[in-house]
Amino acid sequence: MKTAKEILSHILAPYESKLSLHRCLRKIIALMPQNYKKYITQMSYKGDVLYIKVSHPALRQEIFYKRNLIFSLIKTMHSAGICKQINPKKIITDYKYSPPPKPPKEIKFYIRKVEDFDIKAKNPEIKKKFEEIKEALKASCR
């Protein structure tokens, strides 16, 4: 019988190159300075071009000017022996507007007394169990 690790490796084998590419792109984002990292929304690699999408238009130009930083990060990753499949010749930054997130809806809930719940079970055994739980809750609240 196969182990879980063997089964997962067999299922994910066709997608291994895409998964490793995605992991490498995540590592590049993690190694970037904090003020760049929080505005990067997406990073993709096609051909010899690294595409970076940001959520602020000023940062688009700033990353474009500091693209040598990204090239040096990739070079240090290559010297460490990881992410050899990423070797961009060019970096393209793009600004994509995304509206600010909406505040969460207000959730209202009402607190009832513990012993005030209705038992709607039709089965007498289940109804008896709920009655026992109700009595236990009444005793613990006093």
Side-chain angles (χ1 to χ4, degrees):
M1 183 155 172
K2 292 185 178 182
T3 63
K5 188 174 183 178
E6 291 173 344
I7 293 170
L8 281 176
S9 66
H10 179 71
I11 291 172
L12 297 177
Y15 308 107
E16 187 59 39
S17 63
K18 289 186 180 187
L19 288 172
S20 64
L21 179 68
H22 180 70
R23 286 186 202 114
C24 289
L25 294 175
R26 300 289 294 178
K27 286 178 188 175
I28 292 170
I29 292 173
L31 291 172
M32 292 183 76
Q34 184 66 31
N35 55 348
Y36 297 155
K37 192 184 329 184
K38 66 181 178 180
Y39 292 108
I40 294 176
T41 58
Q42 183 183 1
M43 201 178 235
S44 61
Y45 180 72
K46 292 181 183 173
D48 287 337
V49 182
L50 181 66
Y51 296 96
I52 302 172
K53 293 192 188 234
V54 294
S55 62
H56 195 277
L59 193 69
R60 174 190 171 271
Q61 197 65 25
E62 192 170 338
I63 287 179
F64 182 74
Y65 288 143
K66 304 262 183 168
R67 62 186 179 268
N68 289 335
L69 169 74
I70 299 169
F71 284 127
S72 66
L73 285 174
I74 294 170
K75 192 180 286 186
T76 55
M77 289 171 71
H78 286 196
S79 65
I82 54 176
C83 299
K84 298 253 183 187
Q85 74 265 26
I86 295 180
N87 195 11
K89 306 288 184 222
K90 183 160 97 164
I91 294 177
I92 296 176
T93 56
D94 188 25
Y95 162 67
K96 175 149 177 151
Y97 173 74
S98 58
K102 294 179 182 176
K105 293 180 181 176
E106 187 175 324
I107 300 172
K108 295 181 181 180
F109 61 95
Y110 303 98
I111 300 174
R112 296 190 310 182
K113 292 183 180 178
V114 174
E115 62 267 2
D116 279 350
F117 65 88
D118 297 329
I119 301 172
K120 297 179 182 177
K122 294 180 181 175
N123 189 337
E125 294 175 14
I126 296 174
K127 194 169 190 175
K128 183 180 176 186
K129 289 287 184 186
F130 274 118
E131 289 292 338
E132 291 174 9
I133 293 170
K134 194 173 189 179
E135 292 302 319
L137 288 173
K138 282 181 185 178
S140 67
C141 290
R142 291 180 188 156

